[in-house]
Every structure is written in structure tokens, then in C-alpha cells.
Amino acid sequence: MPVTAARALVHGLVVHAIDRKAGQEALRSLADWAFQFSSRVSLYPPYAVLLEVQGSFTLFGGQAALLKNLRTGLAALGYKTRLAGAPTPLAAFGLARCGSEQMIAAQHQLATALASLPVSALDWEQTLLDRLDGMGVRRLGDVLRLPRDGLARRLGQQSLLYLDRMLGRCPDPQELYQPVQEFKRHLQLVSEVEQVQALLFVLQRLILELCGWLQGQGAGVQSFTVRLLHRERRHTDLCIGTHRGSRDAGLFITLLRERLERLELRQPVIEIELHAGQPVKLDARSPGLFEKAGAQEQIDLLDRLRARLGDKAVQGISAIAEHRPEYAWSYSEPGASRKDSKDQHRPLWLLAVPRQLETRDGWPCWHGRLKLQASCERIESGWWDGQDIARDYFIATNPSGSCYWIYRELAGERRWYLQGVFE
Amino acid sequence: MNLDTLLQRPDVWRGGQASAAVRAVPSGFDELDELLAGGWPQGALTELIMPRQGIGALRLLMPTLARLSQDDRWICWVAPPHIPYAPALVSAGIDLSRVLLVHPKAQQDGLWAVEQSLRSGNCSAVLAWPTLEDNVILRRLQLAAEAGDAVGFLFRSQRYVQRPSPAALRLQLEPEADGSLSVSILKRRGGRAAGAVHLDTSLPHGSLALHSRTPTATGYTQPHWQ
């Protein structure tokens, strides 16, 4: 029925356009997500996904447990779904299509269970269904009672095959869906979003999809990027990392929240992209399923600190075999330190930038006149890279007993500098 | 709850007897360990109050940090006032791969980082230089240290000495004329605030010359800085 005709019949009709492309995308992402429940997933467009679940019952601890997981997961993703199960794909589809959320385990129960369904349970063209209606056939049970040769003559051989497949009388192989190898999601927001909380709500769904996909792959990721798109092709990138690799949605959401709460949104967001890094193999144990409820995987300190403070604010340090004191150390990735060092008497604090000292009567001063220890260490090095130094280093004490590491330039104005504190 | 379980609580103080229940990390200085009934309190805050920089407060912790770096937990430095110099840490026997440096931009982030580190259970020790006045925050940090079983070291300036503090241990550090460090107890949970020691923390450590100051007859020494 055309929309104009419908409008004429019903006053105040609200028309929603079906976005077929978006629907297909949603179906595919649902299939990606559903791989955690079965390795045999098929698309059944335009609005169904088939899972072969018999083989997964043991893994999930029974049919009821699997269904519960499936339902909770789907609800968290924000989908309204109807779940039905049967020994054949078409029967399961028919049940779900009619909103009859049954789980029929045995093939011999099929005919009885399907009998009461309306003929619209059949995924047939409307003309065929109209023809059935014209014959006074309303229920599937009525269809099944019709003589086979008459049925084939009136509705075609294909319809007979359909019914045979539905009842499991002949095989119905499905084309298996291949999950994506790289996780990338794009989401157009319904309205412009300025509130971080609202963004988090939307992102939560994408992260659940990501984690479902990872679970199906038996993998985790060490990082993923969230791109917030603004108008005029501007965007904000947030890179969320967990150095051990994970597929724990709770962890990802916490890290993302830390980052988002500190984000100043200069412009509203109109679209969101989520792009996962290279998946890394995790052990087969799936935390979402077997761990006790509430025993969330502990969030690694490093990830938490970096999520809020930024990667550069959290560092490890290395000692480097180098004569010039300022080059004898460097920042490094936490946990991966070089330890090349000669055992020399060095201060525990190094000043980021040496501080020039005043002199009084030729003596360097820092909160009073500094008393130098007799021994002096001469460091001349670095002629090869232009950062060469020539200095005499002393350990010096001021009148209040604080101990410092100072040096005097050997060339030029022969100034004194404070470079370290013997704390 | 019976009396025995009540007495086991670390916050119940019994006069004249130190609680044995407080676990401690040896400081590496025998005399200090004796004074502190084993060393630094585990799962608690220790405040080190010092009149100024450069008196060797950090050196006092080196044996402890060297020992803790053998653990597979982090030694987390939050907003250190200068760069912890890697060659000196190596000389002190610290495994650098356990050292984590956190440089927050704002003070609020610093306190957050200290609390997270203490609470996470991923840190054996957390070093911080807070300049806050607020006792409520210190209490939170103390609770976080308990939760994460970490040793929290707070380096604080002299101006906080008179302030009450929820830290399990408060020590006053003073440099001595001979270059040694005087350490006296201002407060110790589960024990009396008594005594002081002089420690030679000069490097190389290992050969520690310890000079003791004998507590007075009452078992209480007035810290000499008052």
C-alpha cells in the first residue's frame, strides 16, 4: 500500500522510512558480536541472524544459561529482539517472526509446535500468502494438512521444499557468515551531542560490540581509538590503551570514562567512530562468562593512570652508559628499563635544567656559601654530537647541612651550576 | 566481639606494649627497625617531615626500595620535585624496571594518582610530596594504602609538623653536623611515640655506622627540634 493511500485511510499516520543499508550494517555487526555464542552464524536478511547453538550448550553450562547470556547481551546492546530456537533454521525463524519465543529441542515436536502459528510465519512472497488466505488457510497446521501434490500445484515446488526444510525432512544448509578481521564501527548520532555522559552511553554500545567480537575471536586488543567527529571535518581522537591486552568491556568503559571526563569538547559531536587495534590472542578463558558476577577483572594501574593523565605523564626510567650526567638517564616504557650504569657516586635528584649559582668572593652560593669536598670529578665528553661538555664536578654542602652536586665550567666564563641534590 | 579480637585491631592502642599485629617492611637500618618494631608499617602511610631538601631523606628509603623492587609490584613516584636520577638508583640497588614515574599536571590529579596507586594493589611503595592542608584527603590516602597493602611515603615540609595526621607513622628528620641523619618518632600507631636514632645514610650503604640516642628513663624523648 502506498503511503498516500495509507495517509488517506488513517488520520495522523506517522511514517518511518526503513534505512535498509543501516539495517544490513546492524545485522552484520550483530553477527560479528554473536560469534562468541557460536562458531556457525548465518545472516538471514533483512532482520534475522541464525546461530547454531546446540554445540555451545556445554560451554555455557546449558541451554538456559546460554539464552540468558544472549538475552542480557542483546539488551545491553540496545536491540529489541525475539529469540526462538528449533531444530531447523526455518522453524526457528518462523517462531521468532511470529513472536513465539519458544525453544523446541526435538524434531518430532516441530509439527505440533508450528501448527498454531499464523501463515505469516512463512517467509513467502505476499502473493503466495494471499493465495493461502483465499483458500481459507490461516494457520500453519492447515497448510501442513493439505495434500502435497495439490500444494505443489497451487503454490509451486519451492513452497513444498520450504515446508520440508522447515520440518527437517530435508537438509537446509546455511551459508556461514565470516566475521570481520578488523573491527571498525561508525555511528551517526541522531542529534548533536555535547554532553560527555551522552557520548559515553553511545560508546558503551560500540564497546560491547567490540568485546563480543573479540570474544568470538578468542582475542583481545591493547588499544582502540575513538574518533569524535565534529562539523567542518574536525575531529577529536581518543586512544585508549591497556598494555596487557583485554576484551573486558567494564575495563574499557572505565578507561574511556576517565578520558572522556577530562575532555573539553569544544564542538558538539555529530558522528562517532571506533577502530580497534590489532587483536592479540588471549587465553581461551572468557572472562565475561566464567568469572563470578561482580569479580570484575582488576583494572591495571598503569592503564588507569594513563587513561586520565595521558601516556606521557606515566613513565619508567633507564640508566644509560654515558659520561655526560644529563644523558646518563632517560624515560622509558614502564617495566622495560635499561640499567647500564657505572657504580659512581651520584645524587638521587637531578635537576631538569642546571641552575646557575651566584658567587660570593669567588665561592659558589646556594642558601649560603657552599663548602666543597676536596675531591673533584672532571667530565669532558660529547665532542662527537656538538653537545660537548667540559666540567669539574664537586659535592658541596651549605651552612644548613644540605648536600648538592655542583659543577664549574672549564671553559668560557667558568660559571658554577647546581645540577643535583644528594637527597 | 570478644576482648581478644578487639585487642587485635591495629587501631587499638595498648599502653606499654607494642602491637605485634602491625606488619612491617625492614628499613635496612637495624636500629631504626628496632625503634619502629620491625620497620616501615605495611599497608599504611608514613610521613617524613623534613626542614629542607638535601638532608638525605630519600637516601633513608634506598635499602627499603631496593628490597621492594625485587617484588613484582611498582614503586610509584608521584610528582617528584626533581628527576629521580637513574644511575644513583641503580647504585642503590634498585631494579629500575619496577620504577614508575607519574607526572600529573594539576595538584588534584596528583592526589588522585597517589590514591589510585596506593589502592590498586599494584604498588609495593608509593612516594609523594603532597602540599595539602586537608586531613580528609590524608585519611583517604591512609585507607587506600590499607586497601592496596602498599607502603606510602609522604615527604612533607616542616610547616606541617604541628598538624594532626592520620598517617600510621610520622617521623621527624633532621640533619646533624657530622652529615648523619637524626630520625625521631612523632607518632606511631600501635606503639608509643618514643625515641630517636642517628643514621649514617651516606653512600655507599651497607656499612652503616649507627649512633643511638638512649631514650630517657620514662621511655620518651622530646624531639630535639622543639
Side-chain angles (χ1 to χ4, degrees):
Chain A
M1 181 183 294
V3 176
T4 42
R7 280 225 167 93
L9 289 170
V10 183
H11 180 67
L13 186 76
V14 181
V15 179
H16 292 283
I18 294 176
D19 186 342
R20 287 190 195 284
K21 193 163 160 278
Q24 275 173 10
E25 260 175 42
L27 208 59
R28 268 199 295 273
S29 67
L30 205 54
D32 284 328
W33 174 86
F35 256 83
Q36 57 185 308
F37 295 99
S38 165
S39 55
R40 300 169 70 83
V41 176
S42 314
L43 296 182
Y44 204 94
Y47 47 76
V49 176
L50 282 171
L51 308 182
E52 201 289 297
V53 286
Q54 182 86 49
S56 311
F57 286 162
T58 347
L59 183 68
F60 282 78
Q63 173 187 308
L66 181 133
L67 282 178
K68 187 164 170 269
N69 268 305
L70 199 53
R71 275 185 212 285
T72 325
L74 287 166
L77 287 178
Y79 285 113
K80 280 187 190 147
T81 52
R82 293 181 198 151
L83 289 183
T88 67
L90 288 177
F93 176 74
L95 288 165
R97 187 173 154 109
C98 297
S100 169
E101 299 201 72
Q102 301 182 57
M103 293 297 288
I104 293 154
Q107 200 173 323
H108 66 264
Q109 298 170 327
L110 260 183
T112 332
L114 295 173
S116 61
L117 295 183
V119 290
S120 61
L122 302 167
D123 187 20
W124 288 357
E125 281 173 31
Q126 193 57 44
T127 48
L128 284 184
L129 295 178
D130 289 345
R131 210 172 294 165
L132 281 174
D133 196 53
M135 289 153 63
V137 174
R138 305 276 186 275
R139 304 267 150 203
L140 255 183
D142 305 335
V143 181
L144 297 176
R145 266 196 301 275
L146 293 175
R148 289 176 64 85
D149 52 344
L151 199 68
R153 210 167 46 244
R154 290 185 177 205
L155 302 172
Q157 200 63 40
Q158 280 300 317
S159 308
L160 206 55
L161 182 62
Y162 187 100
L163 291 173
D164 283 346
R165 284 180 166 167
M166 192 175 205
L167 292 170
R169 288 183 197 135
C170 70
D172 186 11
Q174 299 293 315
E175 192 188 336
L176 292 184
Y177 175 74
Q178 293 302 319
V180 289
Q181 293 304 304
E182 190 188 8
F183 190 88
K184 206 170 182 178
R185 288 283 183 270
H186 176 254
L187 207 66
Q188 191 110 29
L189 299 177
V190 185
S191 58
E192 295 193 349
V193 173
E194 283 175 288
Q195 296 283 319
V196 163
Q197 280 306 320
L199 279 181
L200 200 61
F201 182 77
V202 180
L203 280 165
Q204 199 154 324
R205 216 190 83 192
L206 292 184
I207 285 183
L208 287 172
E209 281 186 15
L210 167 66
C211 293
W213 174 72
L214 286 170
Q215 194 133 320
Q217 304 282 307
V221 281
Q222 287 175 309
S223 71
F224 61 90
T225 309
V226 171
R227 174 168 285 193
L228 308 174
L229 294 111
H230 315 289
R231 294 196 176 283
E232 292 158 9
R233 296 180 175 220
R234 289 168 198 269
H235 64 259
T236 311
D237 278 348
L238 305 171
C239 186
I240 308 295
T242 147
H243 72 289
R244 280 186 307 185
S246 175
R247 57 163 176 262
D248 180 340
L251 167 74
F252 287 163
I253 289 166
T254 309
L255 294 176
L256 194 60
R257 179 180 295 128
E258 295 281 12
R259 185 63 67 87
L260 277 174
E261 278 172 356
R262 307 186 55 72
L263 184 73
E264 275 181 46
L265 273 183
R266 293 200 178 81
Q267 282 182 310
V269 179
I270 54 173
E271 287 168 52
I272 290 179
E273 279 176 15
L274 191 148
H275 192 180
Q278 189 65 33
V280 290
K281 280 280 166 220
L282 292 188
D283 58 41
R285 226 170 63 95
S286 32
L289 301 171
F290 297 116
E291 234 136 83
K292 277 181 292 180
Q296 203 188 9
E297 193 183 340
Q298 200 183 22
I299 296 182
D300 191 90
L301 174 68
L302 206 55
D303 298 336
R304 189 181 274 263
L305 292 174
R306 285 191 154 170
R308 169 146 164 180
L309 306 174
D311 285 358
K312 284 198 180 122
V314 185
Q315 302 269 18
I317 41 170
S318 283
I320 291 158
E322 161 68 58
H323 290 290
R324 289 168 292 182
E326 49 267 55
Y327 296 110
W329 77 283
S330 74
Y331 286 122
S332 51
E333 194 51 28
S337 297
R338 288 165 63 194
K339 299 150 197 175
D340 313 326
S341 167
K342 292 184 283 286
D343 196 14
Q344 288 165 311
H345 191 27
R346 290 286 181 261
L348 282 167
W349 285 146
L350 190 78
L351 270 59
V353 180
R355 186 179 181 122
Q356 194 184 337
L357 296 175
E358 286 177 16
T359 51
R360 223 167 290 154
D361 308 327
W363 288 99
C365 296
W366 182 248
H367 300 299
R369 199 172 110 169
L370 289 169
K371 207 168 92 185
L372 309 187
Q373 276 187 16
S375 62
C376 147
E377 183 184 351
R378 177 157 296 184
I379 300 179
E380 288 184 277
S381 185
W383 49 269
W384 55 86
D385 60 8
Q387 304 289 318
D388 50 326
I389 62 164
R391 301 165 180 169
D392 274 342
Y393 275 86
F394 296 90
I395 296 166
T397 317
N398 75 358
S400 51
S402 296
C403 196
Y404 299 105
W405 202 41
I406 66 169
Y407 69 81
R408 188 175 197 185
E409 292 175 327
L410 285 174
E413 293 180 50
R414 311 243 308 142
R415 286 170 299 202
W416 290 90
Y417 287 88
L418 170 66
Q419 196 175 16
V421 184
F422 286 93
E423 182 62 277
Chain B
M1 181 184 288
N2 60 29
L3 185 63
D4 279 344
T5 52
L6 196 66
L7 290 174
Q8 288 299 313
R9 288 174 58 106
D11 53 352
V12 169
W13 182 77
R14 298 173 74 183
Q17 186 185 334
S19 158
V22 178
R23 287 172 309 123
V25 182
S27 72
F29 300 95
D30 291 344
E31 195 158 9
L32 186 61
D33 286 349
E34 201 175 308
L35 192 69
L36 301 178
W40 311 111
Q42 175 95 35
L45 287 187
T46 293
E47 261 186 279
L48 301 165
I49 294 172
M50 48 195 202
R52 59 193 156 269
Q53 277 192 356
I55 66 169
L58 210 48
R59 254 180 352 252
L60 181 63
L61 302 188
M62 285 302 121
T64 310
L65 299 187
R67 174 193 290 257
L68 291 176
S69 72
Q70 304 307 310
D71 204 350
D72 64 355
R73 299 199 288 167
W74 299 111
I75 294 172
C76 184
W77 307 51
V78 182
H82 301 292
I83 297 158
Y85 196 36
L89 296 179
V90 172
S91 298
I94 291 174
D95 181 352
L96 289 185
S97 63
R98 296 290 90 214
V99 173
L100 196 62
L101 299 183
V102 182
H103 297 293
K105 287 190 191 80
Q107 160 146 339
Q108 222 38 47
D109 281 344
L111 291 171
W112 174 85
V114 174
E115 189 180 349
Q116 293 300 326
S117 310
L118 285 169
R119 192 182 296 281
S120 67
N122 297 156
C123 295
S124 56
V126 179
L127 284 65
W129 289 260
T131 54
L132 59 135
E133 307 275 337
D134 194 349
N135 256 335
V136 178
I137 295 172
L138 279 187
R139 186 155 322 213
R140 285 184 57 142
L141 297 184
Q142 168 68 32
L143 291 174
E146 285 171 27
D149 197 33
V151 193
F153 292 107
L154 304 183
F155 297 86
R156 310 204 77 197
S157 96
Q158 198 65 39
R159 65 195 173 100
Y160 299 108
V161 71
Q162 298 294 357
R163 295 188 165 270
S165 159
L169 178 66
R170 299 188 90 199
L171 296 179
Q172 171 72 47
L173 310 183
E174 280 282 328
E176 292 291 311
D178 61 358
S180 68
L181 190 67
S182 150
V183 181
S184 45
I185 302 180
L186 297 176
K187 174 194 173 186
R188 182 159 80 86
R189 194 164 72 178
R192 62 184 93 178
V197 284
H198 286 202
L199 306 173
D200 182 359
T201 59
S202 57
L203 295 171
H205 55 264
S207 56
L208 296 169
L210 297 173
H211 324 277
S212 92
R213 174 189 286 185
T214 329
T216 56
T218 60
Y220 186 79
T221 313
Q222 280 294 323
H224 67 278
W225 43 268
Q226 280 184 333

